[in-house]
Amino acid sequence: PHTPVCCSSRYGLALLSSYGFFVVYSLRVNLSVAMVDMLNNTHQSSANHSGSVCPAHANPPRPKHNHTASVYDWDSETQGWILGSFFYGYILTQIPGGYLAGRFGPKWLMGFGILGTVIFTLLTPVAADLGASYLIAVRVLEGIGEGVTFPAMYTMWAAWAPPLERSRLLTISYIGAQLGTVISLPLSGEICFYLDWTYVFYVFGAVGLVWFILWALLVFDSPNTHPRISERERLYITTSLKNELSTSAGHIPWRAIVTSVPLWAIVVAHFSYNWTFYTLLTLLPTYMSDILGFSIQQNGMLSALPYMGCAVFAVLSGQIADYLRETCQYRTVAVRKSFSIVGMIGPAVFLVAAGYIGCNYTLAVTFLTISSSLGGVSASGFNINHLDIAPSYAGILLGITNTFATIPGMVGPVIARALTINNTIEEWQTVFYIAAAINLFGASFYTVFGRGTVQPWAVHTSYSHGD
């Protein structure tokens, strides 16, 4: 029998993990806003006012405050390295994160991973004063800390999420990532304006410290180790999972994992989706400024709009996906593939359309917002398919797919900037076409090879895999 949602331990975990991902994404994107204020603008003012492709928007004048924080003379190449350095640390701990979470438990791995990131965030102003290389090192270390969070949380959900509530619980959990982007983009701009850029790191660092205290006190690795969970809820969760979890946690069937076609279907889909996601995340402010002529104050809010839509659609898709599986008895694989198709082909269509509306500001912002919003639907598609095919090894599987899915964050924006040297609308159309084509390929590959049932190698451990 179902146990009530209200005040339940599993939904409490969903909310606290959502807060955790809010912290994670706030700390990831706040530097791109703070960077505007960290640069010595005296010799850049001519570049800043060189004019956009479309007529600039009128912007109400705001008083300039006396800022006391340091500014730096970093060239564009150095800026690129600073902004990209996070991903070089992030990619290193994906697969180890999944393994360590299974070995030592996900609670403290996730907790200390984010705490480490928080500490290095608080040290960011000091590192920047010491020099660009120190700042790059701090960002790499932040990436290493954050790299374990998603694999650890998937390992946690393998023990906590009843199969028919997975879409709901995981979308609540990961909406924090979208909200972190939505809130920290405009808020970082306001903090820079009214205080100075150093406070961006102090404020979000403090928010992260509060999260760690709550996480340490209130969260446990599994329902069986939670002292305050109701017996009814504990039985409901453990009974629903009893046929899905492997009996041998110590043995990991590596060969079966890396040769699993359903896993590679998720890898291709995840890589393709993230190409569009990271290209927009890092370059949307540039597109808004250089092509559409929005100022930095307007930019923060408008750049956040697509992620707000993405968050709303992600949560709605989770509710609908579980309704279709539980009430309408749709097969899991059909739901995952349908949501992946909508969440990948939809964004591709609107992204390409955004390149063809010229200087129609309203349509441009609308199309880019619809594109990102539809992307949120894939949260109930390939994004949580790891838990369907191998709940016991979900953390390791996510580590593998997220390793490949981090590559677009490292190369996508670099390629996009190389293609938009002259900042013409035609060049940006090429960027949008490439992202759309990669999305279409990923959706097609996943539709053909994706699966929705627990794979034989993930249920019972037999040593016939040759490991």
Side-chain angles (χ1 to χ4, degrees):
H2 276 266
T3 57
V5 168
C6 186
C7 303
S8 65
S9 297
R10 63 192 189 283
Y11 279 88
L13 174 63
L15 291 173
L16 256 182
S17 61
S18 187
Y19 177 11
F21 285 115
F22 171 87
V23 171
V24 161
Y25 268 70
S26 298
L27 302 184
R28 185 185 298 193
V29 303
N30 58 12
L31 178 67
S32 48
V33 179
M35 183 71 87
V36 177
D37 251 20
M38 293 168 77
L39 299 171
N40 186 355
N41 287 320
T42 50
H43 64 277
Q44 291 185 332
S45 55
S46 57
N48 282 354
H49 298 293
S50 59
S52 53
V53 173
C54 299
H57 284 249
N59 190 44
R62 298 172 72 175
K64 190 71 183 147
H65 292 271
N66 291 321
H67 289 173
T68 53
S70 309
V71 290
Y72 311 99
D73 292 315
W74 294 327
D75 59 24
S76 58
E77 188 184 352
T78 307
Q79 292 169 42
W81 274 105
I82 292 168
L83 289 170
S85 54
F86 172 89
F87 292 104
Y88 290 89
Y90 189 68
I91 200 170
L92 293 176
T93 44
Q94 295 294 325
I95 295 172
Y99 173 74
L100 292 169
R103 196 75 192 268
F104 301 109
K107 171 186 173 175
W108 291 113
L109 185 69
M110 172 107 167
F112 287 125
I114 297 182
L115 180 64
T117 309
V118 165
I119 290 167
F120 286 117
T121 296
L122 293 169
L123 293 173
T124 300
V126 179
D129 269 345
L130 289 171
S133 55
Y134 286 90
L135 182 56
I136 288 168
V138 161
R139 291 296 287 181
V140 170
L141 290 167
E142 280 187 43
I144 288 171
E146 274 194 27
V148 303
T149 52
F150 278 97
M153 203 58 227
Y154 266 62
T155 304
M156 182 82 92
W157 281 126
W160 273 97
L164 291 174
E165 291 187 26
R166 257 179 212 150
S167 309
R168 261 171 289 191
L169 286 165
L170 268 84
T171 49
I172 291 169
S173 188
Y174 298 131
I175 191 181
Q178 304 296 344
L179 289 175
T181 308
V182 166
I183 292 170
S184 67
L185 279 172
L187 187 58
S188 297
E190 294 302 314
I191 292 170
C192 281
F193 183 77
Y194 286 106
L195 300 166
D196 61 51
W197 65 262
T198 58
Y199 286 91
V200 170
F201 303 102
Y202 298 145
V203 169
F204 287 110
V207 170
L209 288 175
V210 172
W211 171 84
F212 177 76
I213 294 164
L214 293 172
W215 183 260
L217 295 175
L218 300 175
V219 168
F220 296 87
D221 281 328
S222 69
N224 289 329
T225 56
H226 198 304
R228 293 182 298 276
I229 190 173
S230 72
E231 185 62 15
R232 185 180 171 195
E233 184 182 8
R234 188 183 68 77
L235 277 174
Y236 165 57
I237 296 171
T238 51
T239 308
S240 70
L241 291 169
K242 71 176 185 293
N243 296 324
E244 296 217 345
L245 295 175
S246 168
T247 51
S248 170
H251 174 76
I252 299 167
W254 286 108
R255 182 179 295 184
I257 287 173
V258 298
T259 55
S260 170
V261 176
L263 173 64
W264 285 101
I266 302 173
V267 167
V268 172
H270 204 164
F271 177 94
S272 306
Y273 174 81
N274 270 21
W275 187 283
T276 305
F277 181 80
Y278 283 135
T279 300
L280 278 183
L281 186 69
T282 47
L283 294 179
L284 194 56
T286 307
Y287 183 76
M288 294 276 191
S289 169
D290 294 355
I291 301 295
L292 299 178
F294 289 106
S295 73
I296 195 72
Q297 283 98 342
Q298 298 161 317
N299 213 327
M301 198 58 232
L302 291 170
S303 297
L305 263 182
Y307 301 102
M308 207 177 297
C310 188
V312 172
F313 273 63
V315 170
L316 288 176
S317 73
Q319 302 294 326
I320 296 165
D322 279 349
Y323 174 79
L324 292 174
R325 291 165 68 224
E326 192 174 11
T327 311
C328 304
Q329 305 286 303
Y330 279 91
R331 289 168 62 225
T332 298
V333 69
V335 172
R336 298 287 181 245
K337 288 181 178 180
S338 307
F339 280 62
S340 296
I341 289 168
V342 173
M344 294 178 76
I345 293 180
V349 170
F350 282 96
L351 194 59
V352 170
Y356 283 92
I357 43 81
C359 289
N360 187 327
Y361 307 109
T362 313
L363 262 187
V365 174
T366 303
F367 281 0
L368 289 168
T369 302
I370 293 173
S371 175
S372 270
S373 300
L374 288 173
V377 174
S378 67
S380 297
F382 71 85
N383 225 340
I384 55 176
N385 195 209
H386 317 70
L387 281 160
D388 300 321
I389 65 170
S392 298
Y393 308 109
I396 290 170
L397 264 57
L398 186 88
I400 293 168
T401 65
N402 227 9
T403 298
F404 286 97
T406 302
I407 296 169
M410 295 156 71
V411 300
V414 176
I415 291 171
R417 281 317 271 156
L419 291 171
T420 54
I421 295 168
N422 302 313
N423 258 327
T424 63
I425 288 181
E426 290 73 29
E427 287 176 339
W428 280 94
Q429 284 170 355
T430 307
V431 171
F432 293 158
Y433 265 122
I434 291 170
I438 291 172
N439 253 18
L440 286 172
F441 172 73
S444 308
F445 193 91
Y446 181 75
T447 303
V448 175
F449 296 109
R451 295 292 177 268
T453 51
V454 177
Q455 298 300 290
W457 49 264
V459 183
H460 57 276
T461 303
S462 63
Y463 291 87
S464 59
H465 298 301
D467 292 353

